[in-house]
């Protein structure tokens, strides 16, 4: 349980480094990450290396007891390399090169760039292998940031043909699996299949899905290249820093090659640029704990490997549409919240506000004149809070299933501009979190036997294997909630012969008779237990955007029916018992109240202890017998804990944007707010 910082010594005079290191140590910082954008300084001329400055920086930090995480500097190939090899540049779908002048301009499939990567990574690994202070590496930086997972250059076109050749038996197999008779799209060779470049109408959904798989696989491969070289030189850890709510990269697959999964958390930016709805003032000050939390739980995964926040927002930032100052204490709160979700270290990005370049409007822990900023005080506080806290891994009773393939397939044909796969999944996640339970966000093929309940918001692509995995879970007593659009497609993004939920139909005991979508502001509702919306009798629940008319099998129970004109009286949510467990199928995008109703029923049948329904912005996280209480609102929160429970951090009263840690189970706490 510790904190760290991202540091760019190359931006500051060498005479200052000693002071920086002393101030870091004084703050209680343990880890310092460096060098992710430093290629042009490490190799100013082709083949002529200058590692001396980095050696000095590492030594100074080590002298102050700090541990160093270095980065492979490949996110920013230097100008001389681009001039020599312009073919390393990525291209937009229309062929326009993504030129030098910012970052992430290289293509993952460029043979030349892979060769250059091997060269610089090997040099660095060799050089630092015997330096004790260097404890680990971050590969590159934020793979895919700035929409760069998907490239459309000639190298990618060639690599895509090869990827298809390795995936399908022959071109007829591809034609069959994709279904290319439609609009005369048959191919005669793998070479003839181009990347999805600009076309008059939309692309074939199977083509899109495979291109998106291919593009993600290219990053997985490229990351492995770094990891293998680094591991050849020492047994330091290999990590990568992923991003929040990030669609285009299968981070589960990249993580298979990592020792440590980390991600970069910027709560006040995320509520503005990757979430629907207008953020409240409190959210502009501290973000949305469930939006941040879902990423923590995704990157924590299920394995016992630790996870970190490699970049934590340090104050105001430069890239969202608006850049409010975080609430007083928010930088401390975020680190606590992350730790409650299982993070073993939280590193603030960056040490000091930079005086040059694109990120001058981005805060650091120190201001550009070197004096302490608001984040420095918060980082110092949380380092002190956590210095004595020792906690094992999170043991979540609930899994939320997520597969990037499903995200890409739904995005290729959302069938409503508002149908955002991740946002839909977050509806269920939010409901679980509001009941105070820890959730693992995991791949559907994960071993589910240790979970009491599983929520699968949208397992869109299905086959028998996936269905039998879930069947086994339910047969042995698991409680499953399957959401809308599950089983609607086969793994190639084609409708299967059978009606949705396709391979899951027997398990769910239901067929989808019709589906329809509506603008988000159209009021739709369902009634639970026979209540009617029009009666206003309290049994009506708001739903939106997506609506399926269900046809349950005779033994399947109907939990809710539609109450909206044409669909009135049609089943909308069902439950089917098989073996020792049961499957709820929810054919609508539930509002918060219906999601709570469904999730509460699921958790109670599964025997999972819950809290009362927590207000938005107040969350609890149990980790190894300790409960973190996080207040993302500006109002105070009271914590009524059992008399023998000790507060390890804070006390019974949390101020706005405050956190506490108490030795007690969440279900034994009573949280009070003004509402
Ligand atoms: C990302 C990057 C950093 C920096 C920050 C700014 O997370 O990894 O290099 O650009 O955003 O918030």
């Amino acid at each position: 349980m510790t904190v760290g910082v991202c540091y760019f010594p190359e931006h500051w005079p060498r005479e200052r480094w000693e002071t920086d290191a002393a101030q870091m140590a004084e703050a209680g910082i343990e880890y310092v990450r460096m060098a992710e954008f430093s290629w042009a300084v490490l190799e100013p001329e082709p083949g002529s290396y200058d590692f001396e400055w980095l050696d000095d920086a590492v030594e100074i930090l080590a002298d102050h007891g700090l541990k160093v995480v270095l980065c492979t500097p490949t996110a920013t190939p230097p100008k001389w390399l681009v001039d020599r090899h312009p073919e390393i540049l990525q291209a937009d779908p229309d062929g326009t090169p993504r030129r030098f002048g910012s970052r992430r301009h290289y293509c993952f499939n460029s043979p030349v760039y892979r060769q250059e990567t091997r060269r610089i990574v090997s040099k660095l690994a060799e050089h630092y292998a015997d330096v004790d202070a260097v404890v680990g590496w971050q590969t590159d930086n934020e793979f895919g940031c700035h929409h760069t997972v998907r490239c459309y250059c000639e190298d990618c076109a060639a690599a895509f043909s090869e990827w298809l050749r390795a995936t399908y038996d022959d071109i007829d197999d591809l034609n069959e699996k994709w279904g290319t008779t439609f609009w005369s799209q048959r191919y005669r060779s793998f070479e003839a299949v181009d990347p999805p470049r600009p076309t008059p109408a939309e692309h074939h959904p199977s083509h899109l899905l495979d291109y998106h798989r291919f593009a993600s696989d290219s990053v997985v491969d490229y990351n492995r290249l770094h990891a293998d070289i680094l591991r050849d030189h020492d047994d330091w850890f290999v990590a990568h820093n992923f991003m929040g709510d990030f669609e285009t990269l299968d981070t589960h697959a990249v993580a298979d090659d990592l020792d440590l999964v980390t991600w970069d958390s910027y709560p006040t930016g995320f509520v503005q640029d990757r979430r629907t709805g207008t953020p409240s003032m409190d959210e502009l000050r501290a973000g949305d704990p469930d939006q941040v939390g879902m990423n923590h739980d995704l990157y924590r995964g299920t394995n016992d490997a630790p996870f970190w926040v490699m970049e934590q927002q340090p104050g105001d930032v430069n890239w969202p549409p608006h850049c409010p100052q975080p609430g007083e204490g928010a930088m401390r709160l975020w680190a606590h919240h992350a730790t409650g979700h299982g993070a073993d270290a939280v590193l603030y990005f960056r040490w000091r506000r930079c005086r040059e370049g694109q990120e001058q409007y981005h805060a650091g822990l120190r201001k550009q004149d070197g004096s302490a900023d608001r984040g420095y005080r918060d980082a110092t506080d949380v380092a002190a809070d956590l210095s004595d806290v020792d906690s094992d891994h999170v043991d979540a009773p609930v899994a939320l299933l997520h597969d990037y393939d499903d995200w890409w397939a739904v995005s290729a044909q959302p069938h409503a501009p508002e149908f955002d796969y991740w946002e839909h999944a977050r509806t269920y996640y939010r409901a679980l979190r509001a009941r105070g339970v820890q959730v693992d966000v995991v791949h559907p093929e994960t071993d589910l036997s240790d979970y009491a309940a599983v929520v699968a918001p949208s397992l869109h692509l299905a086959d028998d294997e996936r269905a039998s995995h879930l069947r086994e879970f339910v047969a042995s007593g698991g409680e499953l909630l399957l959401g809308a659009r599950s089983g609607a497609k086969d793994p190639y993004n084609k409708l299967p012969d059978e009606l949705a939920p396709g391979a899951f139909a027997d398990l769910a005991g239901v067929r989808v008779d019709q589906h329809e979508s509506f603008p988000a502001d159209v009021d739709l509702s369902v009634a639970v237990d026979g209540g009617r919306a029009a009666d206003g009798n309290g049994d009506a629940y708001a739903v939106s955007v997506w609506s399926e008319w269900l046809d349950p099998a005779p033994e399947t129970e109907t939990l809710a029916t539609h109450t909206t004109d044409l669909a009135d009286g049609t089943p909308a949510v069902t439950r089917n018992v098989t073996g020792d467990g049961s499957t709820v199928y929810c054919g609508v995008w539930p509002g918060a109240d219906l999601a709570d109703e469904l999730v509460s029923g699921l958790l109670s049948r599964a025997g999972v202890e819950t809290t009362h329904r927590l207000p938005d912005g107040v969350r609890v996280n149990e980790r190894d017998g300790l409960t973190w209480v996080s207040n993302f609102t500006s109002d105070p929160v009271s914590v009524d804990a059992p008399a023998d429970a000790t507060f390890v951090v804070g006390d019974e009263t949390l101020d706005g944007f405050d956190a506490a840690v108490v030795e007690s189970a969440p279900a034994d706490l009573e949280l009070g707010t003004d509402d």
Side-chain angles (χ1 to χ4, degrees), residues 33 36-37 103 141-142 241 264 266 311 317-319 349 359 362:
R33 186 196 71 174
E36 71 271 31
F37 304 124
R103 60 180 175 181
N141 188 77
E142 291 194 339
N241 58 334
D264 299 344
Y266 292 88
E311 294 183 16
V317 288
N318 65 310
W319 48 265
F349 180 94
E359 292 183 346
H362 194 295

Side-chain angles (χ1 to χ4, degrees), residues 500-530:
F504 305 126
D506 292 345
L507 182 62
V510 75
R511 300 271 171 191
V512 177
D513 176 34
Q514 301 293 338
H515 58 257
E516 55 180 347
S517 65
F518 293 93
D521 57 3
V522 170
D523 291 335
L524 308 172
S525 60
V526 300
V528 171
D529 285 335

Side-chain angles (χ1 to χ4, degrees), residues 97-117:
R98 296 171 181 161
R99 294 187 186 280
F100 184 85
S102 65
R103 60 180 175 181
R104 301 225 56 82
H105 37 285
Y106 71 87
C107 169
F108 296 103
N109 284 305
S110 160
V112 173
Y113 198 61
R114 287 195 176 204
Q115 192 43 44
E116 289 294 305
T117 297

Side-chain angles (χ1 to χ4, degrees), residues 368-388:
Q368 77 259 28
D369 67 356
S371 62
D373 209 340
R374 301 174 67 225
Y376 184 79
R377 292 188 283 270
D378 278 9
T380 308
D381 286 349
V382 75
D385 289 347
L386 293 175
S387 60
D388 288 336

Side-chain angles (χ1 to χ4, degrees), residues 214-432:
F214 151 76
S216 176
D217 283 357
S218 306
V219 182
V220 173
D221 257 24
Y222 181 72
N223 174 68
R224 188 174 304 132
L225 190 157
H226 294 238
D228 287 349
I229 297 171
L230 292 168
R231 287 207 181 95
D232 275 353
H233 286 83
D234 198 34
D235 61 357
W236 36 32
F237 67 72
V238 178
H240 180 71
N241 58 334
F242 294 112
M243 283 170 287
D245 292 357
F246 192 70
E247 174 178 346
T248 53
L249 179 61
D250 185 337
T251 60
H252 290 134
V254 180
D256 285 344
D257 291 308
L258 301 174
D259 306 306
L260 171 66
V261 177
T262 81
W263 78 288
D264 299 344
S265 174
Y266 292 88
T268 70
F270 294 164
V271 283
Q272 298 181 62
D273 81 343
R274 57 202 76 177
R275 206 197 63 172
T276 54
T278 310
S280 65
M281 188 61 170
D282 282 352
E283 288 175 331
L284 288 168
R285 295 277 182 226
D288 167 352
D290 296 332
Q291 184 182 29
V292 175
M294 194 164 164
N295 288 288
H296 287 320
D297 293 348
L298 166 69
Y299 295 123
R300 185 185 68 241
T302 51
N303 54 14
D304 285 341
F307 102 95
W308 286 11
V309 173
M310 192 64 100
E311 294 183 16
Q312 177 65 71
Q313 183 173 341
D316 55 306
V317 288
N318 65 310
W319 48 265
H322 301 97
C323 308
Q325 281 295 327
E328 201 54 49
M331 283 69 74
R332 168 180 172 269
L333 168 70
W334 294 327
H336 271 296
H337 183 240
T339 308
H341 275 270
D344 284 348
V346 176
L347 281 68
Y348 290 90
F349 180 94
R350 55 180 56 228
W351 172 244
R352 184 166 168 181
R353 185 184 290 265
C354 195
R355 289 185 49 230
E356 62 191 44
Q358 278 90 328
E359 292 183 346
Q360 298 172 46
Y361 278 97
H362 194 295
L365 295 185
R366 314 283 303 191
K367 294 179 178 169
Q368 77 259 28
D369 67 356
S371 62
D373 209 340
R374 301 174 67 225
Y376 184 79
R377 292 188 283 270
D378 278 9
T380 308
D381 286 349
V382 75
D385 289 347
L386 293 175
S387 60
D388 288 336
V389 177
D390 194 16
S391 184
D392 210 339
H393 298 290
V394 168
D395 186 12
V398 182
L400 186 137
L401 305 187
H402 150 59
D403 188 344
Y404 287 91
D405 282 11
D406 292 328
W407 195 343
W408 303 333
V410 168
S411 291
Q413 294 187 305
H415 211 52
E418 298 88 343
F419 200 102
D420 180 273
Y421 165 91
W422 193 247
E423 189 101 40
H424 174 247
R426 192 155 56 215
T427 304
Y428 290 101
Y429 177 83
R430 208 182 272 295
L432 289 163

